[in-house]
Amino acid sequence: MRAPLGDFDNARPAADCLDELTGPVATAVRAWQGPVPVEQLLYVDTDPDIADTAVFVEHHGPALLDASANCVVVAGKRGETTTRAACVVKSATRVDVNGVVRKHLGARKASFAPMDAATGETGMEYGGITPVGLPADWALLVDAAVVDTEWVLVGSGRRRGKLILPGKAFAQLPGAVVLDGLGVPVA
């Protein structure tokens, strides 16, 4: 089927592609419930060598930049306590780690989580982390601009493949908190 965005002719319901997803993502798709039906979660097979946003957009066209989101893992620290969270922002922006994230987590210091912690704790590949299937005890911070986007392209848990889902679906993910200003323009 043709995807609702981009030039992808090979879109399939994610529920029909569970073997293409990491374990945590496949589990989340199987358990999907809420106002956005699971049939609206789509999977497209993509080249893992062009998974990074800039290269991906260069290959598939600049229109995807506004319809794409990145999911990054952050760590907030207060004393000896470290809190992990995932942040989803439009690809043309960056996460306001030291402002919005730090304040929301109640942390004295916030930073991007080390790659081995991000991949080890999510069960996902670096460069493919997605908000679908995150650890249950994590906060999921979603920029309001993502939720307001009709269809959003985001990682699938692997560098190979992407998920496409309605922006409003991000607000129904477990632990999701929608925040204005989470994504700030890249300087």
Side-chain angles (χ1 to χ4, degrees), residues 74-91:
V74 297
K77 285 186 145 192
R78 178 170 283 286
E80 298 300 314
T81 304
T82 299
T83 303
R84 296 263 194 256
C87 301
V88 181
V89 298
K90 299 282 287 264
S91 293

Side-chain angles (χ1 to χ4, degrees), residues 50-136:
I50 61 168
D52 294 325
T53 302
V55 180
F56 193 84
V57 167
E58 183 179 307
H59 182 82
H60 287 285
L64 276 183
L65 188 60
D66 194 49
S68 298
N70 289 328
C71 182
V72 298
V73 178
V74 297
K77 285 186 145 192
R78 178 170 283 286
E80 298 300 314
T81 304
T82 299
T83 303
R84 296 263 194 256
C87 301
V88 181
V89 298
K90 299 282 287 264
S91 293
T93 65
R94 64 175 177 78
V95 176
D96 184 4
V97 175
N98 290 310
V100 174
V101 172
R102 185 182 57 76
K103 288 176 188 164
H104 184 79
L105 296 179
R108 286 187 49 89
K109 180 182 180 193
S111 60
F112 294 104
M115 181 174 61
D116 60 334
T119 57
E121 293 177 33
T122 62
M124 300 178 200
E125 294 177 4
Y126 185 76
I129 293 177
T130 184
V132 178
L134 291 169

Side-chain angles (χ1 to χ4, degrees), residues 2-187:
R2 182 121 178 102
L5 56 83
D7 61 355
F8 308 105
D9 291 329
N10 63 344
R12 298 178 287 159
D16 294 346
C17 307
L18 298 176
D19 290 344
E20 305 293 330
L21 306 172
T22 61
V25 178
T27 298
V29 170
R30 269 190 219 99
W32 187 267
Q33 54 186 341
V36 173
V38 71
E39 295 80 19
Q40 290 188 10
L41 273 68
L42 304 176
Y43 174 83
V44 291
D45 188 42
T46 59
D47 182 347
D49 291 333
I50 61 168
D52 294 325
T53 302
V55 180
F56 193 84
V57 167
E58 183 179 307
H59 182 82
H60 287 285
L64 276 183
L65 188 60
D66 194 49
S68 298
N70 289 328
C71 182
V72 298
V73 178
V74 297
K77 285 186 145 192
R78 178 170 283 286
E80 298 300 314
T81 304
T82 299
T83 303
R84 296 263 194 256
C87 301
V88 181
V89 298
K90 299 282 287 264
S91 293
T93 65
R94 64 175 177 78
V95 176
D96 184 4
V97 175
N98 290 310
V100 174
V101 172
R102 185 182 57 76
K103 288 176 188 164
H104 184 79
L105 296 179
R108 286 187 49 89
K109 180 182 180 193
S111 60
F112 294 104
M115 181 174 61
D116 60 334
T119 57
E121 293 177 33
T122 62
M124 300 178 200
E125 294 177 4
Y126 185 76
I129 293 177
T130 184
V132 178
L134 291 169
D137 60 339
W138 283 20
L140 171 59
L141 310 181
V142 182
D143 189 271
V146 173
V147 175
D148 292 340
T149 302
E150 185 176 12
W151 290 95
V152 178
L153 179 89
V154 69
S156 68
R158 292 198 162 120
R159 287 185 65 83
R160 164 166 235 116
K162 301 283 186 186
L163 296 177
I164 298 174
L165 55 156
K168 63 186 176 185
F170 290 87
Q172 80 180 48
L173 290 169
V177 177
V178 178
L179 298 170
D180 287 317
L182 178 62
V184 295
V186 176

